Amino acid sequence: MLSLSEPALPGECIRAEKAWKIYDTAKGPVEAVAGVSFSVRRGEFVAILGPSGCGKSTLLMMCGGLEAITAGRISVDGAPIACPRTSIGVMFQESTLLPWKSVLDNVMFPIELLHRPRREHMARARELLSLVGLSGFESHKPHQLSGGMRQRAAICRALVYDPDILLMDEPFSALDAITRDEMNDALLDIWTRYTKTALFVTHSIREAVYLADRVLVMNRRPATIVADIAIPIPRPRDPSVGETKLFNELCSTLRGMIEHSHRAARDVTPYA
Amino acid sequence: MPDATGRERLLTVALPTGTAVAFLAVWQAVATLWAIPAVILPAPSDIVRQLVGSWGELLYQASFTGAEALAACVLSGIVGILVAAMLASSTPLREMLYPNLVAFQLIPKIALAPLFVIWLGIDAPSRLAFSTFISFFPVAIGTLTGLQSTNPNAIRLCQSLTASPSQIFRHVQVPYALPFFFSGMKVAATLSVIGIVVGEFISSKHGLGSYILLAGSRAETARIFAALVVLCVIGLALYGAIAWLELRVRRAWRG
Amino acid sequence: MAAIRWRAWRPIVLPLLFAGALLLAWQELTGWLAVSPMLLVPPSAIWSVLVQAWPVLLAQSWPTLVNSVVGFLLASGLGIALGGALVVSRRVEQAFWPHVLIFQLIPKVAVAPLFIIWLGMGPTSRLAFAVFLSFFPIAVSAATGFRAADPTALRLCRSLTATTWQTFLRVRVPYAIPHIFAGLKVGVTVAIIGVVIGEFVTAQEGLGYIIMFASSAAQTALVFATIALLCGIGLLLYGAVALGEWFVRRWYGAPISAGGFE
């Protein structure tokens, strides 16, 4: 367990220390995140895995400065996070492309807001789009694209202003299984090329194992991290990894943990 | 930590009440301190005095306006349902009539009020017809949209259960259409009062519309305001009645 | 081939056919049943009155048209500004939104005589009344529109450290525009209604005055001709707003339904 006073380790990028999120509702306070501590090293790909409604998205938004922290501390690059920063890129569950902008203009939207030089970033936007296989679609409008293509554009938008950290909130959960596998490969591709620190929230065990260096398993009650599992599958990974013994063993270990923590939650009285 | 939701709920009520009270207070202060002539702007206290003083007269006039507005509202409900049922029942009929009906809504129908006087005279039937004429349309459109928005899978399910068309109508189409019908009725409630008031402006010898016009010609501004207050109560009461009815009917259908 | 073409044309041809048949029946039946010209005049008679009285009607339609257009434009500016002001903060919205909604429900038409007392019998009071009537639907739809922005898009802006003003201009306004146009379409008709009611009540000038005058003189054909002209003005102004909406939609290039973006 990390103590509050411990200095940031070299190479440490995100660090949560007993972070709490408590919502006031009509039925009384609800603990969405209950004293979570973890850390992510620079360039590491970490997945937060948990059942739906366990507070993992809230935790991610707290890391991005988009949700206030009730108690405890989350620091990014050594400084406690209180509001969103331009060193962090966020991907949401929906692609959130603006319907009246073309794909290229959507990717350039952060550049527009941040008043960065347009010319050089335009080249970068086109490069990113071609990397995810969207060249030729620059002037299409979002409604002309499939769900997978929209999320590809959203990846480009999150990377165009070159943030150091990428926070992803179940970005592919609304897609069908086949598209989802394609998106995972596209994401790995782009991540290897740019090596960002990545924090990826998902409820899919296979997705977490396929993508991450480390998987943090999150429990529902209390909403806290119950396990921190390293994924020693060598990179670069491709879909054939999914058939290896190691991959499937890791998956069943994680499944066991989620089921175990579920049972434990059912055995104790509901968390008041 | 303070109870945030309780505070929020209190503010939702307290803030609008506060602004309303503040507005009235400023009005009262401005009217009395700057000694604005009562013809231009009577103070709220003058209006209340007028309300109390001519209560009987106002109530008498309101009885005409209120009864006619209620009747017009009911009539537009009936006409609206009939028109919607007619349009929903036949595709060619709908294709023929619907665009004409919609185009008709784009014109300032209020201008037709004098025609109703020519046709039906200056009594209640003329105002009722005019008011129904301007307020049935939202009900018709709403109900038609509702009848057509029925989930096709729900109908397929009923058909697979060999339900009769009348059963499907009662158990599927009516519940689907009810919210649409009532949102149309809420618009009609407001429009039917407007229709009656405009009718009273141009023809009637009684009712709040003619009362307001008469008070206006005599420059009795406090009297106008008092009548407006009563009229607003009628408008809100009619709207509230529809909203209450919707609640009851929805509960009866458990929608 | 012919069948396909008919199916495409049907939604346009059928209503026109119906309207034509209605006019024809009106024309023939009034003659056939010898309806009193006091009650109903055939379309041909309306047309000839329209042609005869054209100079007078044209002169009287000018104040009606000008007051309607100016009133509508003023109401649009005020309504959109208030709609934007309402969503500035949650507290402002809580404090004023219920009042705006209640104003939507009460019969505002009845306030017309007050405007005469305040602003006299002249065109100013009619203009102010038109602004007053058409302001509310525009303000309500604008406020609804400004609130209709996709919440995740707002969250995206926050994550990009956008300022409130940037978010308003680049996200809230574009999301609101379809809603605002829905309000403008209602508002333009209501502005004309405001002017006409003002003309009914003040009886000084304008097409509303002509309608009142002709109906009290039992000149039913003139009433109909004036109403027809007024309907023409109504459709013209509505068409102008609809044209504006069409241009905006084309600029968006995205599917927009009445309730905003699909």
Side-chain angles (χ1 to χ4, degrees):
Chain A
M1 210 39 86
L2 295 159
S3 78
L4 280 173
S5 54
E6 204 168 317
L9 298 166
E12 195 179 57
C13 186
I14 305 173
R15 166 184 225 186
E17 293 161 292
K18 297 202 177 90
W20 287 79
K21 178 75 190 185
I22 301 170
Y23 286 111
D24 276 310
T25 67
K27 288 178 195 159
V30 169
E31 288 164 356
V33 175
V36 168
S37 301
F38 66 89
S39 71
V40 179
R41 282 189 307 280
R42 196 165 305 285
E44 199 177 20
F45 197 126
V46 174
I48 301 176
L49 174 69
S52 52
C54 74
K56 54 192 191 300
S57 292
T58 310
L59 179 61
L60 189 82
M61 291 303 146
M62 285 156 76
C63 292
L66 288 162
E67 287 278 0
I69 302 160
T70 314
R73 194 156 86 136
I74 297 178
S75 349
V76 174
D77 291 325
I81 189 139
C83 58
R85 287 185 204 165
T86 51
S87 61
I88 302 172
V90 186
M91 266 187 85
F92 301 94
Q93 196 168 343
E94 305 95 62
S95 60
T96 322
L97 300 177
L98 300 176
W100 55 89
K101 282 183 182 285
S102 69
V103 170
L104 186 62
D105 287 342
N106 263 298
V107 173
M108 289 294 286
F109 183 58
I111 302 306
E112 211 182 305
L113 286 182
L114 298 171
H115 302 297
R116 300 256 173 100
R118 196 175 155 76
R119 279 276 286 288
E120 39 198 282
H121 284 91
M122 190 69 105
R124 184 180 163 87
R126 287 184 190 279
E127 183 193 316
L128 283 165
L129 281 171
S130 80
L131 206 64
V132 297
L134 280 181
S135 354
F137 291 93
E138 286 90 347
S139 51
H140 281 56
K141 294 281 171 86
H143 70 100
Q144 296 168 304
L145 304 183
S146 67
M149 289 161 100
R150 281 184 223 171
Q151 278 299 9
R152 282 167 202 262
I155 297 179
C156 298
R157 185 183 56 198
L159 289 172
V160 72
Y161 58 104
D162 200 23
D164 301 323
I165 302 162
L166 202 50
L167 303 181
M168 291 167 277
D169 183 14
E170 305 189 37
F172 310 138
S173 63
L175 304 176
D176 64 83
I178 295 167
T179 315
R180 193 172 181 157
D181 289 346
E182 284 172 21
M183 294 304 294
N184 284 337
D185 287 328
L187 178 64
L188 276 187
D189 221 37
I190 210 160
W191 178 76
T192 356
R193 184 170 298 232
Y194 293 98
T195 347
K196 304 287 178 192
T197 308
L199 196 52
F200 186 98
V201 162
T202 179
H203 58 241
S204 156
I205 295 170
R206 293 182 70 86
E207 190 174 55
V209 173
Y210 186 61
L211 293 173
D213 297 319
R214 250 166 69 217
V215 176
L216 308 174
V217 181
M218 203 161 164
N219 197 352
R220 204 183 321 220
R221 272 186 195 141
T224 185
I225 287 170
V226 290
D228 180 345
I229 308 289
I231 306 295
I233 299 173
R235 294 186 190 270
R237 298 174 187 171
D238 63 58
S240 66
V241 162
E243 276 118 57
T244 60
K245 193 158 162 270
L246 178 59
F247 183 92
N248 288 302
E249 273 174 8
L250 283 163
C251 286
S252 58
T253 313
L254 287 168
R255 189 168 299 118
M257 281 175 167
I258 291 176
E259 280 169 4
H260 175 75
S261 63
H262 257 218
R263 220 171 296 128
R266 242 181 291 135
D267 290 344
V268 296
T269 45
Y271 207 78
Chain B
M1 200 170 295
D3 188 1
T5 47
R7 190 163 154 260
E8 200 65 13
R9 232 173 297 152
L10 183 73
L11 279 175
T12 326
V13 182
L15 275 175
T17 317
T19 47
V21 170
F23 177 75
L24 287 176
V26 169
W27 179 355
Q28 179 76 37
V30 165
T32 46
L33 290 180
W34 292 354
I36 293 178
V39 175
I40 301 293
L41 191 68
S45 58
D46 297 335
I47 296 168
V48 171
R49 211 169 299 130
Q50 184 73 50
L51 255 175
V52 175
S54 20
W55 185 242
E57 171 72 3
L58 280 170
L59 218 56
Y60 174 71
Q61 301 294 355
S63 68
F64 292 101
T65 311
E68 285 173 21
L70 179 64
C73 188
V74 172
L75 272 177
S76 27
I78 296 169
V79 173
I81 289 177
L82 288 179
V83 170
M86 189 175 79
L87 293 181
S89 63
S90 139
T91 310
L93 205 60
R94 185 169 60 246
E95 283 182 336
M96 239 165 23
L97 289 177
Y98 189 77
N100 284 308
L101 265 176
V102 170
F104 204 69
Q105 298 317 305
L106 309 181
I107 65 172
K109 291 189 298 292
I110 296 271
L112 273 69
L115 274 181
F116 284 81
V117 177
I118 293 178
W119 289 333
L120 297 165
I122 58 163
D123 290 327
S126 155
R127 285 189 293 280
L128 276 183
F130 173 66
S131 183
T132 308
F133 166 74
I134 66 164
S135 49
F136 84 92
F137 185 76
V139 185
I141 287 286
T143 313
L144 182 64
T145 315
L147 287 175
Q148 289 181 325
S149 74
T150 311
N151 184 350
N153 279 334
I155 293 185
R156 252 173 243 147
L157 172 75
C158 289
Q159 283 167 339
S160 76
L161 294 168
T162 67
S164 69
S166 76
Q167 278 178 315
I168 293 180
F169 183 73
R170 209 160 63 97
H171 292 289
V172 182
Q173 287 186 295
V174 170
Y176 264 102
L178 272 177
F180 292 88
F181 164 74
F182 274 108
S183 58
M185 278 305 283
K186 285 176 183 165
V187 180
T190 312
L191 286 178
S192 57
V193 182
I194 292 176
I196 297 297
V197 170
V198 171
E200 287 171 348
F201 269 178
I202 63 167
S203 68
S204 177
K205 283 188 273 303
H206 39 228
L208 287 172
S210 66
Y211 187 78
I212 288 172
L213 210 57
L214 189 70
S217 67
R218 291 180 187 160
E220 293 176 315
T221 313
R223 203 181 281 274
I224 298 183
F225 271 107
L228 283 175
V229 170
V230 178
L231 200 58
C232 290
V233 171
I234 292 178
L236 292 177
L238 205 53
Y239 183 89
I242 303 282
W244 177 80
L245 198 67
E246 175 177 23
L247 213 67
R248 288 298 302 270
V249 171
R250 275 198 181 185
R251 207 170 285 161
W253 246 281
R254 288 196 294 167
Chain C
M1 198 58 202
I4 293 168
R5 203 167 287 164
W6 169 234
R7 200 162 296 160
W9 283 104
R10 223 170 103 125
I12 302 164
V13 172
L14 269 182
L16 285 178
L17 271 181
F18 176 79
L22 197 69
L23 277 179
L24 197 68
W26 180 356
Q27 175 74 34
E28 292 306 313
L29 282 178
T30 40
W32 233 46
L33 300 171
V35 179
S36 154
M38 289 263 286
L39 288 179
L40 195 64
V41 287
S44 60
I46 297 172
W47 177 249
S48 61
V49 169
L50 197 62
V51 174
Q52 260 171 34
W54 186 246
V56 179
L57 287 177
L58 199 65
Q60 292 300 325
S61 64
W62 191 243
T64 308
L65 182 68
V66 169
N67 280 334
S68 304
V69 170
V70 176
F72 167 65
L73 291 179
L74 285 174
S76 307
L78 287 174
I80 294 170
L82 182 92
L86 273 179
V87 298
V88 160
S89 95
R90 171 135 183 74
R91 296 284 170 248
V92 173
E93 193 185 319
Q94 275 177 326
F96 293 103
W97 187 244
H99 300 308
V100 177
L101 284 186
I102 285 180
F103 255 92
Q104 279 281 80
L105 302 181
I106 60 179
K108 291 182 292 295
V109 166
V111 179
L114 273 182
F115 279 83
I116 298 175
I117 289 183
W118 287 334
L119 298 165
M121 298 287 263
T124 326
S125 73
R126 293 191 285 274
L127 180 69
F129 186 58
V131 173
F132 172 71
L133 277 194
S134 68
F135 162 81
F136 285 95
I138 297 173
V140 167
S141 62
T144 312
F146 287 130
R147 289 190 302 180
D150 181 358
T152 41
L154 297 177
R155 195 160 237 212
L156 171 77
C157 287
R158 279 218 299 137
S159 83
L160 293 169
T161 66
T163 61
T164 315
W165 184 238
Q166 275 182 322
T167 310
F168 186 77
L169 276 187
R170 288 166 201 278
V171 176
R172 281 198 195 271
V173 169
Y175 268 109
I177 283 175
H179 293 266
I180 290 177
F181 267 104
L184 292 182
K185 282 168 158 176
V186 177
V188 75
T189 311
V190 173
I192 303 174
I193 289 176
V195 172
V196 170
I197 289 178
E199 288 167 353
F200 277 177
V201 179
T202 54
Q204 299 276 309
E205 58 171 2
L207 292 180
Y209 164 65
I210 298 283
I211 292 172
M212 283 301 274
F213 164 78
S215 70
S216 63
Q219 295 189 9
T220 310
L222 185 56
V223 175
F224 269 104
T226 318
I227 287 174
L229 191 57
L230 200 57
C231 293
I233 290 178
L235 291 177
L236 187 78
L237 294 187
Y238 183 89
V241 176
L243 190 71
E245 188 184 27
W246 182 80
F247 274 114
V248 169
R249 271 175 195 235
R250 234 178 51 140
W251 175 76
Y252 274 115
I256 301 171
S257 63
F261 291 91
E262 277 163 9

